[in-house]
Amino acid sequence: MLELNKVTKYYKNEKVLDEITMTIKEGEFVSLLGPSGCGKSTLVHIISGLNQASDGEVSMDGRKITRPSTDRIMVFQSNGLFPWLTVEQNVAFGKKDNGNKISKDEVKKLLKMIRLTSYRHKYPHQLSGGMKQRVSIARSLAMDPQLLLMDEPFSALDEQTKNELHDELQKIWMETGKTIIFVTHNIREAVKLSDRVLVMGNDPGRIICDVRISEPHPRSHADQNLVALESSILRLLEKEIRKQKEGEELHGTLDEKKSIFNGSITSLARTLFYKNMA
Amino acid sequence: MALLLLWQGLYFIRIWPEFMFPSPFMVFNTLVNGFGQGNYTMAMLNSFRRLLIGFGIAITLGVFIGVLMGRFKSIDETFGGLILSLQSVPSVVWLPLALLWFSMGESAMIFVVVIGGLWNMIMSTTAGIKGVDPLLIQSGINLGYTGFSLFRKVILPAAVPHIITGVRMAWAFCWRALMAAEIIGTGQGLGQVLMWGRDMGNMSTVLAVMFIIAGTGIISDGIVFKKIEKEVYRRWGLLETAF
Ligand SMILES: Nc1ncnc2c1ncn2[C@@H]1O[C@H](COP(=O)(O)OP(=O)(O)OP(=O)(O)O)[C@@H](O)[C@H]1O
Ligand SMILES: [Mg+2]
């Protein structure tokens, strides 16, 4: 279980994250959705330990997170693969905190999972963007982390590749049962993949809404219920952006711990719309 | 080819006397004879030995110092400016000093070759280390690497393209430094044969040696080093942006 307690981050004097509090259960697929610059990357970097909070704390299973660990692995938008290593060597690169190397069998299994076995001796520059991202995911899974942090992993990909990778990621998630925090500013992506969408607002970055989606997995991007939900989240975000433009304060931000949505998605969408547009 | 014809043409017009302006054939003959009698081969071997020793020291030392400067800001701030200014000093200038330090002409010449390639090698390595994509470093840390293993497995390999470019430039600089040193200094290298030709008033020897010097430079750079560099850039996925 991952817990954030009043995590606040300043860059110089500018507050980019404001008292973020949330709890993420083991095995949950949670999306962080929000406009550009609202602090999504900063937040996942803090959770990974690659960046530090100015205030508040992050803990996993009761232990405070202060530095990077192979228990929490990041997948970056521009993949971060090592260009001088082959696909296979990239997947096998990691060194677990407990000193264990990644076994040959493990690498083989992962390459099969991402369907790149025949590409194992190729170098990253010989792969397409989607393939690179798959290798990056396999390299992260090889560490057998408790938590996978994905920072806009698919946003540089074309629509079709993105959809393929969505299906693949859903499958991987269902097979491995990993906890995943998935950053995106694509509403459709967030709604399609997650159990929970945390909608973030800007200036300072904070969570404005916690949406639970109980639709069973795997989901398809054509699902009508999802489409309805998508548009209501869009309206919420638009309001947030408009608010920001007008520079006025939205009074009474929602308590993110008190999840307002449960039950079927359609009613959920309606509730969402009602609660926020009223 | 056109240049050769022009040369032959100029030779026929005889603006300059023959001993000052030999025909391409005479130079070619001199080349064949020179290699046939083993003079040029010996001279080349002598020059190459100095070059390889000096070049080897220059890149080893250069990478070592460059890495230190790239990793430790204080070292970089202390010596960075100095190295930049030293680089603008032609390396032959060091020869008199080197001759005083090492009583042997041979070591002095190798010293000049080392100086010729060193500064550039240091600067390329430093730039390479400092320019490593932070994302790769973050990935390395996240995948369980720290300290020296992070450096050896991530930072150094990531800096290889820069270092290779440095090596290629160092080779060219060492070669130039060696020729300059040989022309002034003593010993049995290409530079000395060139000077001997001048002293004897033998223009075809001078030109023949110039051909060897230029040819060696072009072949080693164009065929060996450029190929290696290109292969590295391709592998590192930088080819589209660099070539
Ligand atoms: N190293 C830094 N130094 C100073 N300010 C920073 C730094 N990193 C991020 N910021 C600022 O913090 C805010 C949040 O940045 P962050 O990258 O977390 O946003 P994001 O939500 O991930 O945006 P995007 O969707 O564009 O990736 C931005 O206003 C950004 O300018
Ligand atoms: Mg970001």
Side-chain angles (χ1 to χ4, degrees), chain A residues 26-269:
Chain A
E26 207 164 319
E28 248 180 339
F29 194 127
V30 177
S31 283
L32 282 178
L33 178 73
S36 188
C38 72
K40 305 180 294 292
S41 297
T42 307
L43 186 58
V44 284
H45 275 83
I46 289 172
I47 296 173
S48 79
L50 286 166
N51 198 340
Q52 271 73 43
S54 313
D55 218 338
E57 60 180 56
V58 185
S59 61
M60 194 147 93
D61 297 334
R63 280 188 304 277
K64 211 177 151 209
I65 291 174
T66 51
R67 55 195 173 88
S69 149
T70 59
D71 230 14
R72 305 178 303 274
I73 301 287
M74 291 273 297
V75 176
F76 300 96
Q77 174 179 352
S78 42
N79 69 66
L81 295 179
F82 302 112
W84 58 91
L85 299 178
T86 62
V87 166
E88 195 170 40
Q89 289 165 335
N90 262 290
V91 174
F93 184 83
K95 214 164 59 173
K96 295 179 194 173
D97 281 351
N98 58 19
N100 287 353
K101 286 242 161 197
I102 295 159
S103 75
K104 282 217 172 74
D105 285 345
E106 189 64 24
V107 174
K108 226 183 204 164
K109 211 180 83 195
L110 286 163
L111 287 173
K112 204 171 148 199
M113 190 177 201
I114 58 166
R115 296 181 291 116
L116 285 180
T117 304
S118 56
Y119 283 82
R120 65 185 180 282
H121 298 309
K122 297 258 191 265
Y123 288 90
H125 76 93
Q126 296 168 304
L127 307 179
S128 71
M131 289 174 179
K132 282 185 214 170
Q133 215 46 271
R134 268 147 58 198
V135 177
S136 178
I137 292 172
R139 184 178 73 174
S140 307
L141 288 173
M143 306 302 287
D144 195 19
Q146 271 195 48
L147 179 61
L148 209 53
L149 297 155
M150 308 181 82
D151 192 358
E152 304 196 26
F154 306 145
S155 59
L157 306 175
D158 63 81
E159 207 57 33
Q160 197 192 332
T161 314
K162 203 184 281 186
N163 279 329
E164 276 170 30
L165 284 177
H166 285 161
D167 296 342
E168 233 161 282
L169 182 62
Q170 288 193 73
K171 224 175 81 197
I172 289 173
W173 175 64
M174 284 157 59
E175 272 171 33
T176 59
K178 298 274 176 226
T179 313
I180 297 180
I181 298 182
F182 188 97
V183 171
T184 177
H185 46 228
N186 182 328
I187 306 175
R188 176 167 306 174
E189 187 172 65
V191 166
K192 177 177 168 189
L193 295 173
S194 2
D195 291 331
R196 245 172 107 191
V197 180
L198 299 176
V199 183
M200 287 182 73
N202 238 335
D203 279 331
R206 69 213 184 289
I207 293 171
I208 54 174
C209 185
D210 182 341
V211 184
R212 282 177 198 282
I213 303 171
S214 48
E215 197 86 341
H217 286 269
R219 303 174 185 153
S220 121
H221 61 281
D223 190 322
Q224 280 311 305
N225 290 334
L226 296 182
V227 174
L229 184 62
E230 193 185 318
S231 57
S232 38
I233 293 183
L234 176 65
R235 255 168 265 142
L236 177 64
L237 274 173
E238 272 170 359
K239 188 176 172 190
E240 177 65 21
I241 290 164
R242 208 176 324 121
K243 178 217 87 187
Q244 204 188 310
K245 273 193 193 137
E246 292 163 3
E248 57 174 61
E249 262 305 312
L250 177 79
H251 29 252
T253 38
L254 295 161
D255 180 5
E256 65 280 354
K257 276 203 282 192
K258 193 172 65 202
S259 176
I260 42 175
F261 305 111
N262 276 307
S264 87
I265 293 189
T266 12
S267 75
L268 186 156

